[in-house]
Amino acid sequence: MASPNSRRRFLKGSIGTAVAAGLAESGQSASGDDLSSQNATTAASQVQWRNRNEAMRYRMLGRTGMMVSEIVMGGNEITPDNYRHVFEAMDMGLNYLDTSPAYGKGASELGFAKVIKQRPRDQFFLTSKVSVWDLNRNERFEKIYNGLSGDEQSRLRGAADDLIAQRGAAEPDYLGGYFGGQTRELNAAALSDVMEATYGDRIDRDKNYRQIIIDSVEGSLQRLGTDHLDVLMCPHGASSPVELTRYPEIFDAFNELKVDGKVRFLGVSSHNDPAGVLDAATKSGIYSVAMVAYNVVNESFMNQAIDAAHDAGVGVIAMKVARPVYRSPKSANGNREGRKRLDAAIGGDWSIPQKAYLWALRNPKLSAVISNMVNAEQVSENIILPRLSG
């Protein structure tokens, strides 16, 4: 394992809050250069290969320069008792592991810790998330909301509903219905967004928007048994662009962690309003990676944002690629129109999830797709797909 000092020299390069705010407003780099051209140059000069294998295909993860496997390992089902199939995927060239403290209340990170103990750290890229950030923000504003008059509550709720309608975030094909409580999260985030201007000063910003990130990362590193993350995703599950544009404390925390050698790049994940969140990440000039819902059902909402992100050097990983058209072998198979479009686009005797991954991998503007491969059987089914998608 490389020494912390050598890694810190590699990771050194602070992004101060003032610079962050300026980039978010201007869409330019610190030197004033156009981001798209600068990102291309940066990525080309700092290409990083890990666990390269002829059985896998790789794409660059935006301006990070990281060459990631076209299929990456989702960690939602990884536990200390269910992790051995990760080795099989890595033996076939997979090199990107994604986890979160929210997955199994830390069990996923503890499961991946067993992988990390047995494979050199420089053979894979590792991502974790700050799952409590947006939930904490919404809880803080909900407490304030509950203490307001009925008239004020009605005004705020109406403004939140208008905001959702303006963004089209609740349109069924855009929303996706990926998990129970998704609409509740969307509504809570919109309420927090409209309350920020009037009631935001009632919240301890350093504690609730900056320190919570530091503490989350420290906990993740301890559970994972490593000293750094290649990508930190914050927020985990952003539901609105406002979460990325009104909270410079995120950039402050990222900067502190980066200087300390604990994280390398900043990312975000999003199910709700993923195009709006991706656009905000792209325009920030600071977010380097975005993991967003993208599939045959919501593609018309997403394509423009994905194109812009790609051109600006933001690496996009598609998630929920199969979810709208395939729930489980024992349940209804999701959106029928989406199934028809998928079947028309991808022929052959493939399973529905395989068709969905093959469909997404046809988009050259994506860096990868993520799959929650829960066992060796799913690894064998999915790891072969990148070689067949060209």
Side-chain angles (χ1 to χ4, degrees):
M1 179 179 292
S3 71
N5 287 336
S6 65
R7 184 163 34 258
R8 285 170 186 166
R9 285 194 297 271
F10 177 73
L11 300 177
K12 189 177 180 181
S14 124
I15 306 173
T17 301
V19 175
L23 295 181
E25 290 295 326
S26 69
Q28 291 188 322
S29 68
S31 64
D33 297 331
D34 177 71
L35 278 172
S36 59
S37 59
Q38 187 189 54
N39 293 338
T41 301
T42 300
S45 65
Q46 298 180 357
V47 176
Q48 304 163 52
W49 288 96
R50 296 188 181 181
N51 197 38
R52 193 172 185 177
N53 189 309
E54 292 183 356
M56 176 58 67
R57 289 175 52 170
Y58 302 85
R59 302 184 189 183
M60 190 175 290
L61 187 62
R63 58 174 167 263
T64 69
M66 294 158 47
M67 297 298 295
V68 299
S69 50
E70 290 188 346
I71 293 275
V72 303
M73 176 67 73
N76 201 35
E77 302 296 330
I78 301 299
T79 71
D81 297 319
N82 184 45
Y83 67 91
R84 293 173 182 83
H85 60 288
V86 178
F87 296 124
E88 298 186 33
M90 295 177 74
D91 288 343
M92 298 174 71
L94 182 140
N95 69 359
Y96 185 109
L97 309 179
D98 176 85
T99 186
S100 160
Y103 300 158
K105 298 181 179 179
S108 175
E109 292 179 329
L110 293 172
F112 275 128
K114 295 194 172 186
V115 175
I116 293 170
K117 285 181 180 179
Q118 299 180 55
R119 292 292 168 103
R121 181 65 180 84
D122 62 1
Q123 287 298 297
F124 57 88
F125 302 110
L126 180 65
T127 291
S128 196
K129 308 179 179 78
V130 182
S131 303
V132 298
W133 191 91
D134 56 329
L135 298 176
N136 181 68
R137 181 183 82 119
N138 293 342
E139 288 174 1
R140 302 281 76 75
F141 278 112
E142 183 180 14
K143 288 183 178 180
I144 297 171
Y145 177 85
N146 290 337
L148 301 175
S149 68
D151 287 345
E152 178 65 352
Q153 288 181 347
S154 295
R155 182 188 73 81
L156 291 169
R157 187 68 266 170
D161 291 343
D162 289 344
L163 183 60
I164 291 172
Q166 291 167 10
R167 294 180 0 224
E171 292 289 332
D173 283 352
Y174 188 38
L175 185 68
Y178 305 119
F179 57 89
Q182 185 181 348
T183 300
R184 183 172 63 253
E185 285 189 9
L186 176 65
N187 291 335
L191 184 61
S192 297
D193 291 348
V194 300
M195 292 183 67
E196 169 63 34
T198 305
Y199 298 101
D201 60 355
R202 298 189 185 185
I203 294 175
D204 183 338
R205 298 185 68 95
D206 185 72
K207 174 183 176 181
N208 290 284
Y209 302 142
R210 188 195 68 84
Q211 189 61 43
I212 198 171
I213 297 172
I214 304 293
D215 294 344
S216 178
V217 172
E218 295 288 359
S220 290
L221 293 176
Q222 182 176 11
R223 285 185 292 273
L224 287 162
T226 188
D227 62 355
H228 75 285
L229 302 171
D230 294 290
V231 180
L232 171 66
M233 292 196 174
C234 180
H236 173 197
S239 290
S240 79
V242 173
E243 294 176 54
L244 280 65
T245 59
R246 294 290 298 275
Y247 298 91
E249 292 84 1
I250 294 176
F251 303 139
D252 289 344
F254 167 64
N255 180 61
E256 180 177 339
L257 290 163
K258 183 175 181 180
V259 169
D260 287 344
K262 295 175 180 178
V263 303
R264 299 179 60 203
F265 299 102
L266 183 62
V268 63
S269 69
S270 176
H271 305 91
N272 288 322
D273 194 10
V277 171
L278 180 55
D279 275 334
T282 299
K283 292 174 182 177
S284 76
I286 298 172
Y287 282 94
S288 299
V289 181
M291 182 181 293
V292 294
Y294 175 68
N295 47 67
V296 72
V297 174
N298 78 353
E299 66 165 323
S300 63
F301 297 90
M302 295 298 299
N303 284 334
Q304 185 174 351
I306 290 174
D307 289 349
H310 176 271
D311 293 345
V314 176
V316 179
I317 299 174
M319 66 174 174
K320 299 300 181 284
V321 171
R323 184 65 62 85
V325 293
Y326 185 81
R327 301 294 176 170
S328 76
K330 297 181 180 180
S331 69
N333 282 324
N335 187 295
R336 292 183 179 180
E337 290 302 316
R339 283 280 305 281
K340 290 180 181 178
R341 291 198 294 272
L342 186 61
D343 288 337
I346 304 294
D349 189 23
W350 302 102
S351 69
I352 300 167
Q354 286 176 317
K355 285 186 176 183
Y357 292 126
L358 286 168
W359 172 88
L361 287 170
R362 286 184 171 184
N363 188 339
K365 301 297 181 68
L366 296 177
S367 294
V369 299
I370 187 167
S371 173
N372 280 316
M373 293 173 278
V374 303
N375 53 40
E377 180 181 2
Q378 290 189 4
V379 167
S380 65
E381 290 174 353
N382 292 345
I383 288 295
I384 62 171
L385 297 176
R387 298 296 299 178
L388 303 169
S389 63

